[in-house]
Amino acid sequence: SFQYSKEDPYVLENINLKIEKNSIIGFVGSTGSGKSTLFDIIMGLLIPNSGELFADQKILLPDDIRPWQKSISHVPQNIFLSDSTIAENIAFGLDPVEVDMDRVRKSAEVACISSFIESNPEGYGSVVGERGVKISGGERQRIGIARALYNKSELLVLDEATSSLDNKTESKVIQGISEMEFRPTILMIAHRLSTVKSCDSIVQLEKGKIVAQGTYKELSKNSKTFQSLANVIINKDN
């Protein structure tokens, strides 16, 4: 359970969740349902007021948080890009001489951004501009995903990280990640129904509580709250 202060209501209440390694889990819910707060707790950015976070059946204590965070790649909706080359933004934080270009190309291919990059005369040496001003939102998001894949992190957290992509590209990206030889565990917050359809499991949050959990097929058939949310998402897409 979590609340930002003792005077505030609980943002999350009695959350009990088990995530299998190498699974793809989608998180859905209306605005303010607690999705982003739950992700912040999983990533060790917030400490729950009660309860514990376990990794491989071991409680994550304060001294464990930094090593745990190093095993995570977080891709937010709005990607930060530096005013440097595409290759440097994918291998972010590395000295250019340390960049593994084969790994950069493979990450870009899985993120469905390689064709765009290679169509430019300067290729991976193209400069994206301050905060990626020279490219579109969808291209920025795919470079952000390629960056996360380059890191080969065990846990990949996608916080509406494909919101600027069309359904076909989004589906190809998710499929590409799931078929990688090095497959991370993937947690994704989605605002589109198409994003979570192929997830191993979907968790629906409302008012800080888990109200439904299962595959898309199971929730579509058995959960009235999910059916209601699905209608909202479909209308938003249209």
Side-chain angles (χ1 to χ4, degrees):
S1 296
F2 179 81
Q3 58 186 153
Y4 284 98
S5 72
K6 292 182 179 180
E7 293 74 29
D8 294 327
Y10 278 97
V11 181
L12 296 172
E13 193 169 2
N14 297 324
I15 298 294
N16 188 9
L17 183 63
K18 183 177 181 180
I19 297 168
E20 297 291 344
K21 185 176 181 179
N22 301 131
S23 61
I24 303 178
I25 312 296
F27 291 79
V28 298
S30 55
T31 301
S33 59
K35 304 184 298 296
S36 292
T37 302
L38 178 58
F39 272 30
D40 285 345
I41 288 175
I42 290 172
M43 292 188 291
L45 300 175
L46 294 174
I47 305 300
N49 297 96
S50 62
E52 290 107 4
L53 180 66
F54 290 77
D56 295 331
Q57 301 181 356
K58 177 186 175 183
I59 295 177
L60 289 179
L61 299 173
D63 289 344
D64 301 319
I65 295 300
R66 183 58 64 184
W68 168 245
Q69 290 174 335
K70 288 182 178 179
S71 72
I72 300 171
S73 282
H74 175 225
V75 187
Q77 185 175 9
N78 298 310
I79 304 296
F80 172 79
L81 298 180
S82 63
D83 188 10
S84 57
T85 68
I86 290 174
E88 289 170 323
N89 271 289
I90 291 176
F92 192 69
L94 293 179
D95 188 292
V97 299
E98 298 176 346
V99 175
D100 182 337
M101 284 306 301
D102 287 339
R103 194 157 147 187
V104 166
R105 292 186 186 95
K106 180 59 179 176
S107 300
E109 183 181 344
V110 175
C112 296
I113 190 67
S114 57
S115 295
F116 164 77
I117 296 169
E118 291 162 10
S119 68
N120 291 318
E122 297 179 6
Y124 289 88
S126 302
V127 176
V128 300
E130 187 68 32
R131 298 188 178 273
V133 69
K134 295 182 179 180
I135 57 177
S136 72
E139 289 153 3
R140 287 194 293 271
Q141 285 193 330
R142 282 178 285 168
I143 289 174
I145 293 169
R147 176 190 294 170
L149 299 178
Y150 182 91
N151 292 333
K152 288 189 175 181
S153 300
E154 294 181 50
L155 179 61
L156 180 57
V157 177
L158 305 176
D159 191 347
E160 296 202 37
T162 58
S163 60
S164 294
L165 307 184
D166 60 74
N167 289 351
K168 184 177 179 181
T169 303
E170 178 186 65
S171 179
K172 287 177 66 177
V173 170
I174 300 303
Q175 181 180 351
I177 295 172
S178 67
E179 293 175 352
M180 290 176 61
E181 183 177 349
F182 178 84
R183 175 175 164 174
T185 303
I186 303 171
L187 309 181
M188 60 172 70
I189 290 177
H191 83 292
R192 277 193 302 221
L193 195 60
S194 58
T195 311
V196 298
K197 252 186 173 179
S198 60
C199 288
D200 297 313
S201 181
I202 299 167
V203 177
Q204 184 185 355
L205 289 164
E206 295 297 342
K207 297 180 179 179
K209 297 181 179 181
I210 295 176
V211 296
Q213 185 174 358
T215 64
Y216 174 82
K217 185 176 181 180
E218 290 168 344
L219 296 186
S220 296
K221 183 178 180 181
N222 301 319
S223 172
K224 290 183 178 179
T225 56
F226 182 77
Q227 292 166 6
S228 175
L229 179 65
N231 289 333
V232 172
I233 295 175
I234 289 171
N235 290 335
K236 185 177 180 180
D237 278 347
N238 290 341

